[in-house]
Amino acid sequence: MDGIPSSLGVYAMVSPIGNQGGFALDSHASQRHPYGPRRPSDRLSISAPRGLESYRGIPAYGVLQHAAEQLPDHTALIHGGWSCNYDQLNADAIQFAATLAGLGVRPGDRVGILLPNVPEYVVAMNGIWRAGAVAVALSPLMVEDEIQSLLDHTDCRFLICLDLLQPLLTKHDDTDRVTLLVSLRDKLPTHQRFGYWLKLGVQRLRTANKRSDYVGDFWTEFSRTEPDWQAPNVDPNSPAFILATGGTTAAPKAVTLSHENLVANAWQQLVWTQHSFGNERMLGVLPFFHSYGMSATLIGSAMLGATTILHHRFNTKQVIGLIEQHQPTVMHAVPAMLAAMNAQLDQKPIEIDSLKWVISGGAPLDESIAKRFADHSGAQVVEGYGLSEASPVTHVGHLFREPRYGVIGLPLPETVCRIVDPEDPSIILPDGEVGELLVRGPQVMLGYWNAPTATAEVIRDGWLHTGDLAVKHPDGNYGIVGRKKDLIITSGFNVNPRDVEEVLRLCDGILDAAVVGDADEDRGEIVHAHLVLEPGVRWDEDQWVRFCRKHLAAHKRPRRFTHCTTELPKNFLGKVLRR
């Protein structure tokens, strides 16, 4: 994929909300368009002063509705040769909420989404929220066991899935679920459609004897929904979004974010742009199943009233072409994306000077990568920081000053931070000293789904313990210098080494394994597996690669293997000393 790690691809193949009352949208006769029929929007009245009350009391779908009321004819999404305005997009979200209700979705139910970045994702997410349900993000990078585990953990019986990814949902053939399928076939260039159709046929043969309780087509169900539907009242403090994460604890957990968490974080990012509402065009390449892409692009773009240029997978040449064609002003990225584009632009310089702000997150940003991309684009390239438990953004570099590299920036509005002694968090350290970063703010999660003990470990007295070692500089900027735990961050994705080790030990011939993160210029870190083989077993790296490809998500797979001829170093309790 043009030198980009597969984990970055979807496949491995406003003026502020404040002092402005809402107004009713014009009614339009229902008409079919490429992504669904039109329907008049309900009215959402938003009137609050700037500051804390600007987002309190507003459900997550209210951000899109506010943009539709303020900018009804403004282009909301561009995907390939198709586009729609905010009026159409909001109407479709309302219609899809009614569709979900007709299929039996009730407030509080969990609805899984297994899609790339396509318009249906935006429609589905806002429809789920409006129906009072909770969206569960499923990653196309997961393997069947991981998806099934998350579905079971959240008791998720409703799913929206790309047709090509349906085999990931058929681990068991006794599933009681409702599944709506979305296809990319008609959205692809003509020369790619046959290959898509052929692959889909193979997938259907593989899953012929495995089925959900009900499988339907997304837009067919959408079109047959009756318009007379009463939306439920949605508590802004209720769960809105669940996603799996390696998080700040050792084992993967399901982070639960409320409507207020999501709206607050989008509002904080709006304020950071000095309320640049209705003026921006945003590139939407970061995957929405990742907390960064969901917050900064899916909901953050609507908060900005921006036009989002969607692309369903990262491909270096294609993304550079989209920038050249559609002239976005804002791009959220991970360092690996910028490194890949730098390499392409070094070979073939192209004018991409429309970019104004480039915000990099998910992994440490190397200064040379940032400066090279700034030279190519003329953009302000800054680093940000966050974690899924904080919706996720907590810090961003200043967008209107000379960029400072090697720091994660300043805390977002209403985000309070402190640096504490890693062994005794009651001791607050002065500026310049390294300690654990604690965060408090409206974006901090409700907790881990059905895991009160794990929640209490990381949220204490209202403070989120990030597990990251950081320092506060005299100018107020923060820098990350390490991690308390051994979490590996590769291409913006968290990898718990223990998860990979447990899988590797199941492979025939492997006696023991230790997994660490190696520094990598493009990905931040790569997964490196140190293997001890059973006596008499021949080293066969191809075998380990095939096994990992089958049993581990793409971002968890080791990129490097080392044969250890002696026992792994361990402490007196038998725990591997990864360091």
Side-chain angles (χ1 to χ4, degrees), residues 567-578:
E567 184 178 340
L568 295 172
K570 298 179 181 180
N571 63 14
F572 72 99
L573 294 175
K575 182 179 179 181
V576 173
L577 300 174
R578 297 192 187 92

Side-chain angles (χ1 to χ4, degrees), residues 383-402:
E383 187 171 354
Y385 167 85
L387 59 166
S388 295
E389 288 85 348
S391 301
V393 188
T394 63
H395 296 70
V396 181
H398 205 294
L399 299 178
F400 299 94
R401 294 179 185 166
E402 189 72 21

Side-chain angles (χ1 to χ4, degrees), residues 292 333 358-365 382-386 393-397 407-410 480:
Y292 183 18
V358 174
I359 300 96
S360 176
L365 176 64
V382 301
E383 187 171 354
Y385 167 85
V393 188
T394 63
H395 296 70
V396 181
V407 297
I408 58 172
L410 304 163
I480 300 294

